[in-house]
Amino acid sequence: MMRAIATLLAAGLLSSCATAPAQIVPHAPDAVRISNPAELRDPAELQVLFWDQATQRDRFARMEDYFAGLEVAPAAQPRALRQGRPLPPSIVSALDDAFAANHAMGVMVLQDGQVRYERYAAGFGANRRWTSFSVAKSFTSALLGAALAEGAIVGLDDPVTRYIPALAGTAYDGVTVGQVATMTSGVAWNEDYADPNSDVARMLLVEPRAGEPQSVTYARNLSRAEPVGEGRWRYNTLETNLLGDIVMAATGKSLAALARNKIVEPAGFAGSLFWMNDLTGQSIGGCCLSLTVADYARFGQWVLEGGSGVVPGGWFQRAGAPYTAFAQRPGFGYGYQWWSYPAGAFGAQGIFGQSITIYPEQRMVVAIVSNQPRATGGGEREAWMKALTHLAAASATQ
């Protein structure tokens, strides 16, 4: 299984390693448990980026049958999602068209915490989970906020080496937690999924060192592209995984165990969460958790409401703001593991068409899981954002 997971991740899945073998949470043995597939599989069978659409449709809904991970129980008191007023017929029609164009499997629109639109593809339904891919990065961002709130991480200006001393003397020496969270470290990185020699393709092929996450092992050999403090934004999966390493090192808990208490319970998830493990047996920080569509929406609603009592006040407003603005796309940018959009909207995105989009001004959350034929590069994402812009404009007056 270890070789199989390495093959999958090296193929370009947005993920990395954590710091310690997974353990059942001592204080909640029934809430978080290890989940292992019934049988080992050929590594070639696990190259996610090369599955055809029919295979994706089957396996994206049951990743736990193919990869080891942690299962997190539902909340003790799930948040009720009551039916709200139906959307106007013209908006429903536009969403239906966008649903089809995006090869969507499930969509939910919440406004004021009530369901205004919900749809599933044939063969998929409300009680089934679907994988998230890099939507998980925004969950890790929430756990970063939780670690800051409880004082496990002192501040975003802390040096990375305070939590990962093994990075002293590497390209990450002098880099702060905040720079890793915003992907502005200035460390050179190639995230080209079509290039087998890119960093993202090779980072999990590095020979593991005992007691050290592969992300740290790989980071030892990286160089700087800009001086410390002058780094430009570059999408860097390794940095999301290092962020997960930082959170776990600071708290002494796996991301799945943290999610149980910091996200699943306060957000009121009605279904279980599956979070895939890496080679060390720990939850992957930048990828690969699975939820029902309604629980993705519940997470977005909890974020919209501010995560009171779990993250610092105003955390999600700051995390979703454009720390880096994209000059070529006015209104768009990147924050603390969240994408920022025009008019104060922000969201989480994952390959193959997964996303949670939050519109604070309209008090609206939209969650979608999809089965797009390509990981990235198609026109589906733009079509979906166009439909959501129309929805948000109409919802402001409805």
Side-chain angles (χ1 to χ4, degrees), residues 20-52:
Q23 297 179 352
I24 296 176
V25 182
H27 64 279
D30 296 325
V32 180
R33 64 180 180 84
I34 297 173
S35 175
N36 286 306
E39 61 184 56
L40 299 180
R41 299 179 184 275
D42 187 301
E45 189 179 3
L46 302 178
Q47 296 188 38
V48 171
L49 293 183
F50 303 102
W51 289 347
D52 59 34

Side-chain angles (χ1 to χ4, degrees), residues 375-386:
T376 60
E380 295 92 347
R381 178 68 190 167
E382 291 301 319
W384 182 243
M385 290 301 292
K386 183 177 180 179

Side-chain angles (χ1 to χ4, degrees), residues 15 53 55 86 99 138 196 275 291 322 354 387:
S15 56
Q53 260 190 299
T55 303
F99 184 98
S138 299
W275 203 324
L291 293 172
Q354 328 313 321

